[in-house]
Amino acid sequence: MSGEQVKWGVVVAVVMTAVLEVLDSTIVNVALPHMKAAFGITSDQTVWILTSYIVSAVAAMPLTGLMARRFGRRRLIMTAIIGFAASSALCGAALNIEMMVLCRILQGLFGAFLIPLSQSILFDSFPGEKRGQAMAMFGLGVVVAPVLGPTIGAILTEHFSWRAVFYVNLPIAAFALSLMAGGLPKEEPKDVPIDWTGLTLLILTVGGLQMMLDLGESRDWFSSHFIQLCLLIFVFAGVAFIAHGYGNARNVVDLSLFSDRSFAAANIAMMGFGLAMFGTLAILPLFVQGLLGFDVLNAGYLFMPRGLAAGATMVITGSLLLRLFDPRLLVAVGLVMTGLGNLQLAGLNLNAGFWDLAWPGVTSGIGMGLFFVPMSTVAFQNISRERQDEASGLYGVIRQVGSSVGIAIAGWQISSRAQIHWSDLGAHITAVSPQAQAWAQQMGLPLVSPETAARMGQIVAQQAQMLAFRDVFLLTGWGAFAMLPVVFLMQRPRHGAGAPAPAH
């Protein structure tokens, strides 16, 4: 598909396909409490609704290149869209937790191919000098959709049912499929041999890592034998996979892709960015609903300014800025803005209102728009068309792992830091403390009474949680800044400021 004859129907279709997958990654979170009540399950069981999807998707995503060569890109993406839609419908009709988890596994397996294939198809739809525009359009789906997911999920859950967060996928899938059916060229499948040893080791590696990250917090990390087993599987299978695949032309993943300096550095930066962005996004609903008392709808609306800022910045970046500046500078500014937004959140207190929370989101949203577009164009500047699918699959895995690491670290830090702050604050509340005496007098309560102790305990718990959230916002903010040196390990595109080199 030549860039001079861009098939805009296919372009819209692949962007909608990207939206289909990434929207599902955050829209479901809002509905979890309702599913918990509907199925009569515990919080630990609720975690499996998210974990089952993520683990299956991450395990399958690196196989995108292999599957595209074996079955053809057109056949694979259309099958993936149909399978994702069908499994979404089954999730919406689930009668119990067992059926839901099984359907979420299927959803993840089909959804794994949607983002990498969408990205590589979009790259092929534009010539090199216009790939900044292509990635801006792709970014609108990949970055803005998960940011707006909680808002859409809150509206659907509040006004309809939790089942609607799955059924909403059906019209999107039907629209994308109808546009794509007549636009993508057919490809002859190839008889590509499968390295079953490498495939098994790969699934064990990414599955072990993802299970450890997703279930670590709920199982108290390495005090759990299950988490210890996941760590051992990840380490030993990972080492065996690298040893088996290094220099192996038949390996399921072409590890030589990481010999490209720009691609390797971009993956490191993307992992760090995923940690900073998704670590923050994961705890914001808990922060604003659990601690600040926002209702579901207002908590959802809080993400809209962030998403709108990211979308507007992406459009500007893709159409104008990449022609004028070294894209690595834009990536660096994006990291700085993302970090600053998180640091602004760290400066809030328990009296924070809607716009106190929304403006830091706008700052981070601008950073997301500046980061994503130039990062993708620089990362793939030396990747040939034949390797686009595989490279996109690896890039997607790294992004997902980075977000999973960020979410795991954020959850762990909230829990551990809250306990530390509770102990520190509680140590200063005694019967002889002037502050405690002044507070009890102001409230008209006796200093030593069960009611006073309960009220004080509640205040200390709130302050301890607030300080824990502050610590995590600081951590994710500085995490974004820590990626700045990595940016300049990437090569500047040779054919203009924003244009990656043509595919070889």
Side-chain angles (χ1 to χ4, degrees):
M1 190 182 324
S2 69
E4 289 73 16
Q5 297 177 336
V6 176
K7 295 184 179 179
W8 288 102
V10 174
V11 172
V12 173
V14 296
V15 172
M16 294 304 295
T17 300
V19 169
L20 185 67
E21 198 280 333
V22 296
L23 182 65
D24 198 78
S25 66
T26 56
I27 195 175
V28 175
N29 294 14
V30 179
L32 286 177
H34 299 267
M35 285 187 258
K36 179 181 177 182
F39 295 144
I41 55 178
T42 66
S43 297
D44 286 347
Q45 290 173 308
T46 306
V47 172
W48 280 101
I49 297 175
L50 297 178
T51 300
S52 55
Y53 176 90
I54 296 172
V55 170
S56 62
V58 171
M61 202 176 292
L63 305 177
T64 304
L66 173 67
M67 298 294 285
R69 291 193 302 272
R70 190 172 179 86
F71 299 106
R73 183 188 283 175
R74 180 179 187 273
R75 183 178 299 175
L76 179 59
I77 193 169
M78 293 184 70
T79 301
I81 293 172
I82 294 170
F84 189 86
S87 54
S88 295
L90 291 173
C91 285
L95 302 177
N96 51 51
I97 185 61
E98 292 80 12
M99 180 178 176
M100 174 62 75
V101 170
L102 176 61
C103 295
R104 289 286 281 172
I105 291 173
L106 291 174
Q107 230 190 348
L109 290 174
F110 287 113
F113 306 115
L114 298 180
I115 294 291
L117 289 175
S118 296
Q119 180 168 319
S120 57
I121 291 170
L122 198 60
F123 258 55
D124 282 351
S125 299
F126 288 82
E129 67 275 7
K130 293 185 178 180
R131 291 219 179 139
Q133 294 176 339
M135 291 317 302
M137 298 178 67
F138 184 71
L140 287 173
V142 172
V143 176
V144 177
V147 173
L148 295 181
T151 305
I152 300 171
I155 294 172
L156 291 174
T157 303
E158 187 74 13
H159 294 293
F160 298 98
S161 162
W162 64 263
R163 298 182 187 275
V165 303
F166 295 105
Y167 292 142
V168 75
N169 291 332
L170 302 182
I172 300 175
F175 180 63
L177 199 63
S178 63
L179 290 176
M180 196 173 292
L184 280 181
K186 295 182 179 180
E187 298 174 339
E188 290 298 323
K190 300 176 182 178
D191 186 16
V192 180
I194 297 177
D195 178 10
W196 292 104
T197 300
L199 177 61
T200 303
L201 291 173
L202 175 64
I203 293 174
L204 288 174
T205 300
V206 295
L209 173 61
Q210 197 65 48
M211 292 285 281
M212 181 178 68
L213 293 173
D214 287 349
L215 300 178
E217 182 189 359
S218 63
R219 301 200 176 207
D220 198 20
W221 290 102
F222 299 110
S223 61
S224 163
H225 293 306
F226 179 76
I227 299 301
Q228 293 173 6
L229 176 62
C230 289
L231 175 62
L232 289 175
I233 291 173
F234 163 63
V235 172
F236 286 105
V239 171
F241 174 73
I242 294 173
H244 174 78
Y246 186 78
N248 183 358
R250 294 181 63 249
N251 194 42
V252 290
V253 173
D254 185 2
L255 297 178
S256 68
L257 285 166
F258 291 106
S259 63
D260 174 32
R261 191 179 79 191
S262 293
F263 185 74
N267 276 277
I268 296 172
M270 179 56 75
M271 177 176 286
F273 182 75
L275 188 155
M277 182 178 76
F278 285 101
T280 301
L281 291 179
I283 63 171
L284 270 177
L286 179 62
F287 178 55
V288 299
Q289 290 180 259
L291 188 59
L292 301 185
F294 282 49
D295 59 38
V296 173
L297 282 178
N298 279 321
Y301 292 145
L302 189 63
F303 287 84
M304 291 188 70
R306 181 188 294 259
L308 293 173
T313 309
M314 283 181 183
V315 172
I316 295 171
T317 303
S319 61
L320 296 176
L321 296 184
L322 286 180
R323 302 175 185 176
L324 304 175
F325 298 105
D326 180 346
R328 296 174 303 171
L329 294 177
L330 296 176
V331 171
V333 174
L335 286 170
V336 170
M337 294 294 287
T338 301
L340 285 176
N342 292 347
L343 295 183
Q344 287 176 318
L345 288 172
L348 299 179
N349 56 42
L350 291 170
N351 298 317
F354 183 91
W355 286 106
D356 297 319
L357 291 152
W359 283 117
V362 170
T363 303
S364 292
I366 293 172
M368 292 161 62
L370 288 171
F371 176 90
F372 186 83
V373 176
M375 173 60 73
S376 296
T377 54
V378 175
F380 290 88
Q381 62 177 305
N382 299 321
I383 305 298
S384 66
R385 183 190 184 284
E386 292 74 21
R387 306 170 82 190
Q388 284 281 347
D389 294 330
E390 191 159 18
S392 296
L394 289 174
Y395 194 64
V397 169
I398 296 298
R399 177 178 58 83
Q400 181 61 59
V401 169
S403 66
S404 296
V405 171
I407 292 169
I409 291 177
W412 164 54
Q413 283 291 287
I414 289 293
S415 176
S416 61
R417 296 300 296 175
Q419 293 178 3
I420 292 171
H421 288 303
W422 165 272
S423 299
D424 290 343
L425 293 172
H428 293 86
I429 299 178
T430 65
V432 297
S433 168
Q435 292 83 0
Q437 293 174 353
W439 179 84
Q441 184 177 4
Q442 181 182 4
M443 299 298 296
L445 296 171
L447 183 59
V448 180
S449 73
E451 182 183 358
T452 302
R455 294 282 295 277
M456 282 188 172
Q458 183 181 20
I459 292 172
V460 169
Q462 288 179 328
Q463 291 294 338
Q465 280 193 308
M466 182 69 234
L467 292 173
F469 279 108
R470 183 204 64 179
D471 291 345
V472 175
F473 291 139
L474 287 172
L475 178 64
T476 56
W478 288 111
F481 295 146
M483 290 296 104
L484 288 172
V486 180
V487 173
F488 295 98
L489 293 177
M490 296 183 289
Q491 297 171 303
R492 178 173 180 168
R494 297 184 297 272
H495 298 274
H504 304 302

